[in-house]
Amino acid sequence: MKIVIIGGVAGGASAAARLRRLDEQAEIVVFERTGYMSYANCGLPYYIGGVIRDEADLSLQTPESFYARFRIDVRVRQEVTSIDRAAKTVSVRPLDGGAPYTEHYDKLILSPGARPVKPPLPGVDSARVFTLRTVEDTLRLRAQAMSAGSGSAVIVGGGFIGVELAENFRELGLRVTIVEKQPQLLGQFDADMVSFLHAHLREKGVGLLLGRSVERFAETADGIIVHTDGGALPQADMAVLAIGVTPENTLAEAAGLELGARGAIAVDAHMRTSDPDIYAVGDAVEVIDRTTGRRTTVALAGPANRQGRVAADNICSLPSVYRGAAGSSVLKVFDRTAASTGISERTARGLGIDCAAVILSPLSHASYYPGAQVMTLKLVFETPSGKLLGAQIVGGDGVDKRIDVLATAIQAGLTAFDLCDLELSYAPPYSSAKDPVNMAGYMAENLLTGKVRQIRFDDLAALPRDGSVTLLDTRTSREFRGGHADGFDTNIPVDELRSRLGELDRSKPVYVMCQSGLRSYIACRILSQNGFACCNFAGGYRLWRSIAQEAEACASAYPCGLEK
């Protein structure tokens, strides 16, 4: 059997290696139009920033090493230009010269990936406007960044690539501004959670221009000027388009294969296309969202590798299925770690799902062991079932561990109630006896069973300020004097609450805030059992301050990194 694979990065390379492990006699040919195979796409920004120093480290395999180990014929710098399904051949054009030729296949795997979105804006083809997708892109970008010295860059788009590039450009000493059309970066996060990241990026000198669209680029003698719908930015040395990717479907569409979501290649659970002899994997295919059951695209290396394995299994007559993606991801943002899995609260509500969320700020490990770091964890779940829909975490140490537990719980079909019963490893340097995942479960259970009611940041503006309700801050007097939320002018520390209940009017609803939500929850339990109608503010003053400061930053003149 002869298998031809188009694309030799994550999904294609994984499929090729799995095929060889299953079938020693198969003839396997891989075509890759770039000069590199099996390269670390997710590591490209870190080579630009100098964290990864050796260019060779970007490639996990070379055609020579892959052949030595697997006896697989990998042909780089060769582009497949068309597929003849009737003849079962592909047409190939060598990019370094040589005559075009055809290659026969018995089975074909498409792993062409995705291409950067490049809108037809005036000036977008300037040599000073870059995209980042391949190793060749990386080398060009690094060369430009190094030549700029302590110059400047504008990044258009605030997704993973945009944020990672911002950090790495700053590490090189460049002044950086991110321009993002949406009102926030990192759209997979909710606005309340991403406010922490916005603040951290600004602290690190990254300018954020949110809610602005780029209209054109104007190249000058020694730079590039980015024009937005709010005016022109100061001249920069370079601009990078990082506004997302679109499935590379050119070959599939021309071959008459069925397309699905966003023009991605439609596949079944076995990664088989509408042609039974053609499979497709990776960023170019549509998959099932494990949380919603809807079809979507997920441009992540982990799912691509698993899909490659599934396609190889089925070609070799092993019944294997791909059950969909939860979109689990983790991102380094300077000194912070941001991670998510499943869908956001915004997405859930947009889909009409009845849901709720809890927000907590636990420590990464036992408080008495040195070095514990605060993280903010948001858990989104369906009501009243408690079905887990998604989670987001921003913090430092231990974020990746918790998001992986929650991703596993979502894929296993666990509910918020089940999180209470998870037995997770514990030692003071690594966790607490009540792990943050357990704590999220306890909080969700309290909400779902009516032990506590909560309000969110967006609810605060509607609270009356005429004295008909009590807005209570239960932090210590010292914390209160250091700053408190608007309107929360009554301060009774939670440890004094029982003895000072007489200071509160039982006829008035009480809305309670503390630093993170824990003490205010305890206060609500005290109040509700003493005849008060009580509501807890989710996330506490720490979250309120982050969102409020973000609103102030966006309302002021934008902090443009080009001017620093």
Side-chain angles (χ1 to χ4, degrees), residues 199 202 541 544-554:
R202 291 188 178 105
Y541 176 74
W544 179 89
R545 183 180 59 187
S546 180
I547 300 173
Q549 288 178 342
E550 171 65 18
E552 291 174 3
C554 290

mmCIF file of all heavy atoms in Angstrom, residues 199 202 541 544-554:
data_model
loop_
_atom_site.group_PDB
_atom_site.id
_atom_site.type_symbol
_atom_site.label_atom_id
_atom_site.label_comp_id
_atom_site.label_asym_id
_atom_site.label_seq_id
_atom_site.Cartn_x
_atom_site.Cartn_y
_atom_site.Cartn_z
ATOM 1 N N ALA A 199 -3.708 44.268 32.221
ATOM 2 C CA ALA A 199 -2.936 45.065 33.181
ATOM 3 C C ALA A 199 -1.475 44.635 33.195
ATOM 4 O O ALA A 199 -0.563 45.473 33.246
ATOM 5 C CB ALA A 199 -3.548 44.926 34.576
ATOM 6 N N ARG A 202 0.385 45.874 30.088
ATOM 7 C CA ARG A 202 0.702 47.305 30.203
ATOM 8 C C ARG A 202 1.860 47.534 31.165
ATOM 9 O O ARG A 202 2.718 48.397 30.928
ATOM 10 C CB ARG A 202 -0.550 48.067 30.655
ATOM 11 C CG ARG A 202 -1.666 48.112 29.605
ATOM 12 C CD ARG A 202 -2.792 49.038 30.042
ATOM 13 N NE ARG A 202 -3.842 49.112 29.022
ATOM 14 C CZ ARG A 202 -5.021 48.508 29.116
ATOM 15 N NH1 ARG A 202 -5.313 47.784 30.188
ATOM 16 N NH2 ARG A 202 -5.924 48.634 28.153
ATOM 17 N N TYR A 541 -13.070 41.939 45.803
ATOM 18 C CA TYR A 541 -12.508 43.248 45.464
ATOM 19 C C TYR A 541 -11.352 43.120 44.487
ATOM 20 O O TYR A 541 -11.163 43.998 43.636
ATOM 21 C CB TYR A 541 -12.030 43.939 46.742
ATOM 22 C CG TYR A 541 -11.343 45.268 46.489
ATOM 23 C CD1 TYR A 541 -12.080 46.389 46.128
ATOM 24 C CD2 TYR A 541 -9.959 45.388 46.618
ATOM 25 C CE1 TYR A 541 -11.459 47.609 45.894
ATOM 26 C CE2 TYR A 541 -9.332 46.597 46.383
ATOM 27 C CZ TYR A 541 -10.078 47.706 46.028
ATOM 28 O OH TYR A 541 -9.459 48.906 45.793
ATOM 29 N N TRP A 544 -12.945 43.055 41.167
ATOM 30 C CA TRP A 544 -13.574 44.354 40.911
ATOM 31 C C TRP A 544 -12.526 45.394 40.527
ATOM 32 O O TRP A 544 -12.711 46.140 39.567
ATOM 33 C CB TRP A 544 -14.318 44.825 42.170
ATOM 34 C CG TRP A 544 -14.965 46.169 41.977
ATOM 35 C CD1 TRP A 544 -16.217 46.424 41.498
ATOM 36 C CD2 TRP A 544 -14.365 47.448 42.217
ATOM 37 N NE1 TRP A 544 -16.442 47.784 41.429
ATOM 38 C CE2 TRP A 544 -15.323 48.442 41.868
ATOM 39 C CE3 TRP A 544 -13.128 47.868 42.696
ATOM 40 C CZ2 TRP A 544 -15.064 49.805 41.984
ATOM 41 C CZ3 TRP A 544 -12.860 49.228 42.810
ATOM 42 C CH2 TRP A 544 -13.822 50.180 42.448
ATOM 43 N N ARG A 545 -11.432 45.422 41.264
ATOM 44 C CA ARG A 545 -10.386 46.417 40.989
ATOM 45 C C ARG A 545 -9.775 46.202 39.616
ATOM 46 O O ARG A 545 -9.519 47.156 38.871
ATOM 47 C CB ARG A 545 -9.303 46.345 42.063
ATOM 48 C CG ARG A 545 -8.204 47.391 41.905
ATOM 49 C CD ARG A 545 -7.182 47.243 43.003
ATOM 50 N NE ARG A 545 -6.586 45.909 42.969
ATOM 51 C CZ ARG A 545 -5.749 45.456 43.913
ATOM 52 N NH1 ARG A 545 -5.452 46.200 44.953
ATOM 53 N NH2 ARG A 545 -5.242 44.243 43.814
ATOM 54 N N SER A 546 -9.551 44.937 39.234
ATOM 55 C CA SER A 546 -8.950 44.643 37.933
ATOM 56 C C SER A 546 -9.858 45.103 36.798
ATOM 57 O O SER A 546 -9.406 45.743 35.843
ATOM 58 C CB SER A 546 -8.665 43.144 37.800
ATOM 59 O OG SER A 546 -8.087 42.841 36.556
ATOM 60 N N ILE A 547 -11.157 44.816 36.897
ATOM 61 C CA ILE A 547 -12.092 45.216 35.843
ATOM 62 C C ILE A 547 -12.253 46.731 35.815
ATOM 63 O O ILE A 547 -12.289 47.354 34.745
ATOM 64 C CB ILE A 547 -13.449 44.531 36.045
ATOM 65 C CG1 ILE A 547 -13.303 43.008 36.006
ATOM 66 C CG2 ILE A 547 -14.446 44.986 34.985
ATOM 67 C CD1 ILE A 547 -14.570 42.256 36.354
ATOM 68 N N ALA A 548 -12.330 47.351 36.996
ATOM 69 C CA ALA A 548 -12.501 48.802 37.061
ATOM 70 C C ALA A 548 -11.286 49.520 36.489
ATOM 71 O O ALA A 548 -11.422 50.506 35.751
ATOM 72 C CB ALA A 548 -12.750 49.235 38.508
ATOM 73 N N GLN A 549 -10.105 49.029 36.807
ATOM 74 C CA GLN A 549 -8.892 49.653 36.274
ATOM 75 C C GLN A 549 -8.797 49.474 34.770
ATOM 76 O O GLN A 549 -8.314 50.358 34.060
ATOM 77 C CB GLN A 549 -7.664 49.064 36.971
ATOM 78 C CG GLN A 549 -7.514 49.518 38.414
ATOM 79 C CD GLN A 549 -6.318 48.876 39.108
ATOM 80 O OE1 GLN A 549 -5.785 47.856 38.661
ATOM 81 N NE2 GLN A 549 -5.903 49.457 40.211
ATOM 82 N N GLU A 550 -9.264 48.336 34.268
ATOM 83 C CA GLU A 550 -9.267 48.111 32.820
ATOM 84 C C GLU A 550 -10.189 49.110 32.133
ATOM 85 O O GLU A 550 -9.853 49.678 31.088
ATOM 86 C CB GLU A 550 -9.712 46.679 32.521
ATOM 87 C CG GLU A 550 -9.953 46.390 31.056
ATOM 88 C CD GLU A 550 -8.696 46.495 30.208
ATOM 89 O OE1 GLU A 550 -7.577 46.453 30.773
ATOM 90 O OE2 GLU A 550 -8.834 46.620 28.979
ATOM 91 N N ALA A 551 -11.349 49.363 32.735
ATOM 92 C CA ALA A 551 -12.274 50.336 32.157
ATOM 93 C C ALA A 551 -11.650 51.725 32.140
ATOM 94 O O ALA A 551 -11.795 52.475 31.162
ATOM 95 C CB ALA A 551 -13.578 50.346 32.954
ATOM 96 N N GLU A 552 -10.938 52.076 33.195
ATOM 97 C CA GLU A 552 -10.283 53.378 33.251
ATOM 98 C C GLU A 552 -9.193 53.480 32.188
ATOM 99 O O GLU A 552 -9.037 54.517 31.532
ATOM 100 C CB GLU A 552 -9.684 53.601 34.632
ATOM 101 C CG GLU A 552 -10.719 53.782 35.737
ATOM 102 C CD GLU A 552 -10.075 53.857 37.105
ATOM 103 O OE1 GLU A 552 -8.826 53.826 37.158
ATOM 104 O OE2 GLU A 552 -10.811 53.935 38.103
ATOM 105 N N ALA A 553 -8.423 52.401 32.016
ATOM 106 C CA ALA A 553 -7.342 52.419 31.030
ATOM 107 C C ALA A 553 -7.885 52.577 29.622
ATOM 108 O O ALA A 553 -7.318 53.302 28.800
ATOM 109 C CB ALA A 553 -6.517 51.136 31.143
ATOM 110 N N CYS A 554 -8.989 51.906 29.335
ATOM 111 C CA CYS A 554 -9.566 51.991 27.991
ATOM 112 C C CYS A 554 -10.213 53.356 27.741
ATOM 113 O O CYS A 554 -10.274 53.823 26.608
ATOM 114 C CB CYS A 554 -10.603 50.886 27.793
ATOM 115 S SG CYS A 554 -9.876 49.233 27.687
#
